[in-house]
């Protein structure tokens, strides 16, 4: 399907409070911010009023789903970033003591967003359980984003491997594994390798640098699959949700386990490039 590709455009899917949108705007990109929660869209509309007026930012108040229309969406008052349309994620959140409130929101397939706004240079995806719908929504288009990042599952290895297989099948050949728990330590490189040269302090919960500025070395598809296999072996031992030893209270034993299996304690984004 022929849709134009825009070198100055970023899709922020899962805009939340604009933690990432703010960075992309300062980098000089136009941004399509996609967010299911109406209250967060209103918050961002107020925060970025001048950028909206200048046509640098467009906010789309919609969930990404397989259908056009409305779907159930679960707001999470305690942790707004955990808002999700996936009932399995609701169950996970409740096990962590975070109750959800069910509401109805507008939804649309990701392919329709591509048809309306074009193919972005960079696609950031973080929508708590439905991330794969953005990747599968790229199938059939003549072009794909130069760079994409997607949050990997904290507990489900099969889900992450499915994301990787979708990216590989789409034509992505280079991959990076970026620890999200260290994003606030990232610093913008000089000279810039993406967009404007700026100084920026990344808040907790943001996705951080992207594209050629993302930290770490590019690796092959097989290599990143192998890296994730190692991580999930450690998640099975010390992961905060399902780890075999997650409930050990002895501080000394806990410290030893954390030092030995530290990769299983955090969460990660997968970055991919063509």
């Amino acid at each position: 399907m022929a849709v134009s590709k825009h070198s100055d455009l970023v899709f922020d899917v899962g805009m939340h409070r604009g933690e990432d949108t703010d960075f992309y705007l300062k980098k000089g990109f136009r941004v399509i911010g996609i967010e299911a929660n109406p209250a967060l869209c209103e918050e961002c509309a107020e925060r970025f009023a001048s950028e909206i007026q200048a046509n640098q930012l467009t906010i789309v108040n919609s969930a990404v789903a397989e259908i056009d229309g409305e779907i159930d969406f679960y707001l999470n008052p305690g942790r707004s970033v955990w808002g999700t349309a996936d009932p399995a994620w609701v169950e996970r959140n409740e096990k962590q003591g975070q109750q959800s409130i069910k509401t109805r929101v507008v939804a649309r397939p990701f392919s329709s967003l591509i048809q309306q706004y074009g193919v972005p240079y960079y696609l950031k995806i973080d929508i708590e359980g439905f991330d794969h719908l953005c990747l599968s929504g790229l199938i059939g288009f003549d072009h794909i984003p130069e760079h994409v990042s997607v949050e990997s599952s904290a507990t489900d290895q099969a889900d992450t491997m499915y994301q990787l297989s979708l990216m590989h099948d789409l034509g992505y050949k280079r991959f990076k594994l970026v620890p999200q728990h260290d994003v606030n330590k990232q610093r913008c490189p000089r000279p810039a390798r993406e967009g404007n040269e700026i100084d920026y302090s990344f808040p907790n919960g943001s996705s951080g640098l992207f594209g050629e500025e993302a930290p770490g070395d590019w690796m092959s598809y097989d290599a990143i699959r192998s890296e994730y296999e190692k991580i999930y072996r450690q998640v099975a031992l010390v992961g905060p949700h399902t780890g075999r030893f997650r409930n050990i209270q002895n501080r000394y034993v806990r410290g030893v386990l954390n030092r030995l299996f530290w990769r299983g304690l955090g969460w990660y984004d997968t970055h991919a490039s063509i």
Side-chain angles (χ1 to χ4, degrees):
M1 190 182 305
V3 176
S4 58
K5 187 173 181 178
H6 303 279
S7 62
D8 65 339
L9 183 64
V10 168
F11 272 27
D12 185 357
V13 187
M15 180 176 57
H16 195 237
R17 291 195 161 93
E19 296 93 336
D20 294 322
T21 288
D22 180 62
F23 176 60
Y24 307 146
L25 291 169
K26 286 183 169 61
K27 273 289 198 177
F29 288 89
R30 293 186 299 116
V31 178
I32 307 297
I34 302 158
E35 173 59 50
N37 187 331
L40 293 177
C41 287
E42 291 177 7
E43 185 177 321
C44 286
E46 182 176 344
R47 177 181 180 183
F48 300 112
S50 60
E51 288 84 358
I52 293 171
Q53 181 66 29
N55 294 318
Q56 192 181 358
L57 170 64
T58 299
I59 295 176
V60 179
N61 184 192
S62 176
V64 173
E66 295 177 339
I67 60 166
D68 261 316
E70 290 189 349
I71 62 170
D72 290 334
F73 188 80
Y74 300 86
L75 305 172
N76 197 301
R79 296 196 67 174
S80 58
V81 72
W82 281 5
T84 181
D86 187 342
W89 283 63
V90 174
E91 182 179 351
R92 183 211 70 168
N93 296 345
E94 289 178 349
K95 288 179 180 179
Q96 300 300 310
Q98 297 293 334
Q99 299 300 310
S100 299
I101 300 172
K102 185 168 77 170
T103 187
R104 297 286 287 179
V105 299
V106 173
R108 58 190 296 189
F110 189 70
S111 58
S112 72
L113 292 162
I114 294 292
Q115 289 170 342
Q116 181 174 356
Y117 298 106
V119 176
Y121 172 73
Y122 169 54
L123 167 61
K124 170 231 142 171
I125 311 168
D126 185 357
I127 50 174
E128 307 298 303
F130 275 16
D131 310 73
H132 63 282
L133 293 180
C134 298
L135 295 172
S136 60
L138 294 170
I139 296 172
F141 289 99
D142 291 345
H143 304 289
I144 58 174
E146 187 83 13
H147 298 282
V148 62
S149 71
V150 59
E151 184 184 45
S152 64
S153 171
T155 59
D156 193 332
Q157 181 174 346
D159 182 64
T160 295
M161 293 304 177
Y162 179 54
Q163 291 176 358
L164 287 172
S165 68
L166 282 172
M167 286 185 274
H168 179 259
D169 291 346
L170 282 165
Y172 290 101
K173 297 179 175 65
R174 301 186 300 156
F175 299 86
K176 288 185 179 184
L177 196 157
V178 178
Q180 279 298 289
H181 44 282
D182 286 338
V183 162
N184 58 2
K185 299 178 183 177
Q186 294 181 10
R187 296 294 179 266
C188 296
R190 291 179 177 273
R193 297 193 289 272
E194 299 288 358
N196 298 332
E197 187 172 284
I198 63 171
D199 291 319
Y200 198 85
S201 296
F202 294 100
N204 290 330
S206 61
S207 298
L209 298 166
F210 67 92
E212 299 302 332
E213 292 188 342
D217 297 324
W218 292 109
M219 64 184 83
S220 69
Y221 173 66
D222 289 338
I224 196 169
R225 286 180 64 92
S226 177
E227 287 300 305
Y228 267 121
E229 287 170 356
K230 295 173 186 176
I231 286 171
Y232 282 109
R233 284 197 290 270
Q234 295 194 14
V235 168
L237 296 175
V238 298
H241 303 297
T242 58
R244 186 180 307 169
F245 303 123
R246 68 187 184 281
N247 294 321
I248 288 179
Q249 300 298 317
N250 183 285
R251 293 177 62 186
Y252 173 76
V253 175
R254 168 57 60 188
V256 171
L257 288 171
N258 289 354
R259 286 193 295 273
L260 288 174
F261 307 115
W262 57 271
R263 296 186 77 187
L265 296 171
W267 75 100
Y268 299 84
D269 277 356
T270 306
H271 288 246
S273 173
I274 58 178

